[in-house]
Amino acid sequence: MKILAFDTSSTALSVAILEDDRLLADTSLTVKKNHSISLMPTIDFLMESVNLNPQDLDRIVVAEGPGSYTGLRVAVATAKTLAYTLTIDLVGVSSLAALALNSHHEGLIVPIMDARRHHVYVGFYENGRAAKADRYASLSAVLEQLKGRKQVTFVGEVTAFRQEINQTFPEAKVLEVLPSAFKIGQVGQKLTPVDIHAFVPKYLKKVEAEENWLKTHEDSGLSYVKRV
């Protein structure tokens, strides 16, 4: 099975091409550029580098969220378009899993992404599997929940939270880790394909404009139509 996998849910862009479990090519860009501009040229470059045509692909695997709203929209829209046009499988993998699976430590792996205002998108992974569902929460609530745990490793966008984590868990490892499209591709080849038309990003929280609108209109009797 030939797989194209990519993740644009954070400031990093990661793209990989796999044949079954074997990595054919990958690249990661950590410069702050518009992923909508960089994604397709990066895909084209890697495909050409390994002498593959789009019609050679069997599956698209994409990081489905949480993360940057713009980044997720770019990734999911691109993934759906490619899968639909090529009539191939589409699979979504947690963006937090992409961080956890790129860490090689024992014990509980806690991937976090900065959601601003002292909140994070957080996951809990152990032995390569999700121990709990990914969620949006305050960092203080996450740290309180983890009190008493041994062998905890925080990975991902940890720079802004390192001091507070170290104060609560002085023995915990705190590692800046980038997502791995290769790992996403490995996980995605074992998952059941999704309905291309129904597939949407997993934001885990509403955008700020939605939250403000709901606060303003919560008592107005107006109905709220869920954004897809």
Side-chain angles (χ1 to χ4, degrees), residues 83-97:
Y84 177 78
T85 303
L86 299 171
T87 320
I88 58 177
D89 293 342
L90 172 62
V91 171
V93 174
S94 163
S95 303
L96 291 166

Side-chain angles (χ1 to χ4, degrees), residues 93-135:
V93 174
S94 163
S95 303
L96 291 166
L99 295 171
L101 295 172
N102 207 22
S103 174
H104 309 287
H105 291 81
E106 295 182 355
L108 183 67
I109 308 297
V110 182
I112 60 176
M113 301 175 74
D114 191 348
R116 299 191 303 173
R117 298 180 180 177
H118 206 64
H119 279 64
V120 294
Y121 301 114
V122 60
F124 306 88
Y125 290 79
E126 206 158 10
N127 299 318
R129 297 174 179 242
K132 297 180 181 179
D134 296 344
R135 65 194 64 180

Side-chain angles (χ1 to χ4, degrees), residues 180-206:
S180 168
F182 175 44
K183 295 295 184 182
I184 293 172
Q186 287 183 314
V187 172
Q189 68 179 300
K190 302 169 186 174
L191 299 179
T192 302
V194 300
D195 181 323
I196 294 174
H197 300 289
F199 183 61
V200 293
K202 293 186 177 178
Y203 297 107
L204 296 190
K205 72 179 291 288
K206 299 178 180 69

Side-chain angles (χ1 to χ4, degrees), residues 5-128:
F6 49 90
D7 182 347
T8 65
S9 60
S10 67
T11 54
L13 179 151
S14 182
V15 182
I17 299 172
L18 302 79
E19 184 167 10
D20 298 325
D21 251 349
R22 184 166 63 95
L23 177 64
L24 299 182
D26 73 337
T27 189
S28 293
L29 303 176
T30 58
V31 293
K32 292 185 177 181
K33 288 187 177 181
N34 189 334
H35 293 329
S36 64
I37 296 174
S38 305
L39 179 57
M40 281 308 302
T42 303
I43 291 173
D44 290 340
F45 170 75
L46 289 185
M47 292 286 288
E48 184 177 348
S49 297
V50 294
N51 296 315
L52 288 180
N53 295 312
Q55 292 74 20
D56 296 321
L57 295 171
D58 301 297
R59 176 169 289 199
I60 305 293
V61 181
V62 63
E64 64 185 2
S68 159
Y69 289 98
T70 302
L72 289 174
R73 283 185 175 277
V74 168
V76 169
T78 302
K80 292 175 69 167
T81 300
L82 289 173
Y84 177 78
T85 303
L86 299 171
T87 320
I88 58 177
D89 293 342
L90 172 62
V91 171
V93 174
S94 163
S95 303
L96 291 166
L99 295 171
L101 295 172
N102 207 22
S103 174
H104 309 287
H105 291 81
E106 295 182 355
L108 183 67
I109 308 297
V110 182
I112 60 176
M113 301 175 74
D114 191 348
R116 299 191 303 173
R117 298 180 180 177
H118 206 64
H119 279 64
V120 294
Y121 301 114
V122 60
F124 306 88
Y125 290 79
E126 206 158 10
N127 299 318

